[in-house]
Amino acid sequence: MDGVGPDVVPSVTTLRKRFAQRRKGRGPLDRVLRRLLGLEQKMKQYAEGRVFVGVSSTWSAWRASTASGRGPRTCPGSRSSPPPSAGSSGCTAARPSPPDPAPHDVAGPPRAVAELRSAVRPGLRDTREPVLAACSGGADSLALAAALAFEARDAGVRVGGVTVDHGLQAGSAERADRTAALLRGLGLDPVLVVAAHVGADGGPEGAARAARYVALARAAREHGARIALGHTLDDQAETVLLGLGRGSGPRSVAGMVRIRQADGVCWWRPLLTVRRATARAACTDQGLPVWDDPWNADPAYTRARLRAEVLPLLEHVLGGGVAPALARTAELLRDDLDALDELAAAHLALLTSTDGPAVEEVAGLPTALRRRVLRGWLRAGGVPDLQAVHLVAVDALLVRWRGQGRVDLPGGAGVVRTSGRLVLHRPEDRAAPPPHSEEPSA
């Protein structure tokens, strides 16, 4: 035992040093084991994570302090505060400088506001034509006007507003003026208040709509602008259901189109993919005062009952998603109808006579295509307000010919079959004796 010494039994200091090396992984064997087990990489990731959490916590704390208006008190001698002004007490509650921002901390508009702006952005930049946003003061049109006002800055397109006074409700003129003032506050220019002269044809709803479109079209022509309308996906679904219920034909079921040119005016509906609730949420997020038209909730009107009773019932029975499904169906149907209309226009251009289509040129076409050719021919002849019943009767002169006489059409016009072709009689031709009708074949 006399030979036992520091060379055989390490001292306490040496033992502590060796244990410390093992704990820190500095020994050769420990370093090999740590590499094999991937511990060095895990420790590195752990250290980086601690740094990230620390920065994020600091950033969150700074945002909370600045949002509440509280910050650390700093005194004139400190490096983070300016010198006190004359008459100050010395120490002031100063807002701290922000730390380095945490990754992915990006501010932006509320979701509903962003969705409205995204909906109008492409169409606004497609053309430099000025825009007049039609606004009643309701949530849909007001959200549209706000989105257009914001996006117009980057698009470089002039955006104004127009509100229509129908004169059908007490205080309508004052409400129109308030809506106009709100549009000016959004930055729209020019802002117009136009009066609509509502007739009696088509019922209160239809007459007001017809008068409104006349007033809007007049404003568009005077200012060389297109009209932006705030119809939403929910409006599209209601239109499809109304078309189905009335049996108005596939064009009615196809609903509204995003862009439509009519009588020299462009009608633009950028919100057909946006839900009504999203438009209202966008108004709430931006603090915009919304006017709810009492007519929209009046059960005396078919569309109001459809909105309040029929669609909610369908959503309940079918498990939701009805409005988007109806809008999607309208879009698919519209694509098919557009293709048929193009084919019909090509066939109409090939007709060899200006006196009317020859029976052999048209009768052999498929029914959908043949009736489109007939509609195009009659509209080109000045026949207004063609309905499905009129087209069916004229079509029967081609494919179910039994010697029937003249088919009367709206506006006093009529069609007869004579000498192997269809002949259109205009209203001014009624005084002249009609040509001899063709006898039916045996």
Side-chain angles (χ1 to χ4, degrees):
M1 293 296 293
D2 294 340
V4 177
D7 294 336
V8 179
V9 179
S11 65
V12 173
T13 302
T14 302
L15 289 172
R16 286 177 176 172
K17 184 177 179 180
R18 290 179 180 175
F19 278 121
Q21 287 177 341
R22 284 186 174 274
R23 283 197 301 268
K24 295 180 180 180
R26 292 179 180 174
L29 181 59
D30 287 320
R31 286 197 293 271
V32 171
L33 289 174
R34 290 168 72 91
R35 287 194 185 98
L36 289 174
L37 297 175
L39 293 177
E40 287 186 347
Q41 184 65 24
K42 293 182 182 296
M43 292 299 293
K44 181 180 179 182
Q45 292 173 352
Y46 174 74
E48 291 176 350
R50 289 186 60 187
V51 173
F52 175 79
V53 171
V55 172
S56 300
S57 300
T58 304
W59 178 255
S60 300
W62 178 81
R63 291 188 66 182
S65 67
T66 55
S68 63
R70 296 190 297 271
R73 298 183 64 84
T74 57
C75 293
S78 67
R79 300 173 64 181
S80 60
S81 64
S85 58
S88 65
S89 60
C91 290
T92 59
R95 296 170 71 89
S97 299
D100 293 335
H104 310 301
D105 192 354
V106 180
R111 184 195 63 80
V113 176
E115 185 172 344
L116 265 292
R117 293 174 181 175
S118 297
V120 305
R121 189 177 302 132
L124 196 60
R125 298 183 180 187
D126 282 347
T127 172
R128 304 286 295 178
E129 185 180 9
V131 177
L132 285 176
C135 183
S136 65
D140 302 344
S141 58
L142 191 56
L144 170 65
L148 287 171
F150 181 87
E151 290 296 326
R153 306 166 192 169
D154 290 335
V157 176
R158 187 175 185 181
V159 176
V162 55
T163 185
V164 179
D165 177 16
H166 298 82
L168 298 176
Q169 300 179 28
S172 63
E174 292 79 4
R175 184 169 55 252
D177 289 339
R178 287 196 298 270
T179 300
L182 183 56
L183 295 178
R184 293 187 187 100
L186 291 173
L188 300 189
D189 180 54
V191 174
L192 315 172
V193 177
V194 296
H197 304 288
V198 181
D201 294 338
E205 222 178 353
R209 180 170 53 252
R212 178 168 61 252
Y213 276 89
V214 169
L216 291 174
R218 184 171 60 248
R221 294 189 191 98
E222 290 174 356
H223 291 81
R226 46 187 165 145
I227 299 293
L229 301 168
H231 295 118
T232 64
L233 182 146
D234 298 83
D235 294 306
Q236 183 77 295
E238 293 163 8
T239 300
V240 173
L241 279 180
L242 282 172
L244 284 171
R246 292 169 176 168
S248 305
R251 268 296 167 196
S252 179
V253 178
M256 298 173 284
V257 295
R258 182 176 297 275
I259 296 176
R260 181 173 66 92
Q261 296 281 348
D263 299 326
V265 177
C266 177
W267 305 93
W268 175 37
R269 295 179 174 88
L271 304 187
L272 289 180
T273 59
V274 177
R275 297 303 301 265
R276 182 178 292 139
T278 302
R280 184 171 289 273
C283 290
T284 302
D285 291 337
Q286 297 172 96
L288 299 175
V290 171
W291 173 68
D292 290 312
D293 187 346
W295 281 22
N296 289 337
D298 190 343
Y301 300 109
T302 303
R303 187 177 284 268
R305 294 195 65 185
L306 198 69
R307 180 177 304 168
E309 302 173 29
V310 177
L311 270 172
L313 179 62
L314 286 174
E315 293 279 354
H316 174 71
V317 172
L318 299 178
V322 172
L326 288 170
R328 187 167 57 250
T329 299
E331 185 175 0
L332 294 172
L333 181 57
R334 193 160 52 248
D335 291 339
D336 293 344
L337 295 176
D338 289 343
L340 284 171
D341 286 345
E342 290 180 10
L343 291 172
H347 279 282
L348 188 60
L350 294 175
L351 294 181
T352 58
S353 174
T354 58
D355 296 332
V359 173
E360 65 270 13
E361 291 180 321
V362 184
L365 297 175
T367 302
L369 196 54
R370 185 177 63 247
R371 291 181 179 173
R372 279 171 169 77
V373 171
L374 291 175
R375 183 193 294 116
W377 170 59
L378 293 171
R379 284 182 173 174
V383 180
D385 302 324
L386 276 172
Q387 303 296 322
V389 63
H390 304 127
L391 286 175
V392 169
V394 175
D395 188 50
L397 296 177
L398 293 172
V399 296
R400 291 188 301 278
W401 173 240
R402 294 293 183 269
Q404 57 267 47
R406 167 186 163 121
V407 174
D408 290 327
L409 300 174
V415 175
V416 296
R417 171 170 168 166
T418 181
S419 301
R421 68 175 61 254
L422 299 184
V423 177
L424 174 62
H425 293 166
R426 294 174 174 81
E428 58 270 21
D429 300 332
R430 290 186 69 93
H436 181 69
S437 295
E438 179 181 339
E439 291 296 329
S441 57

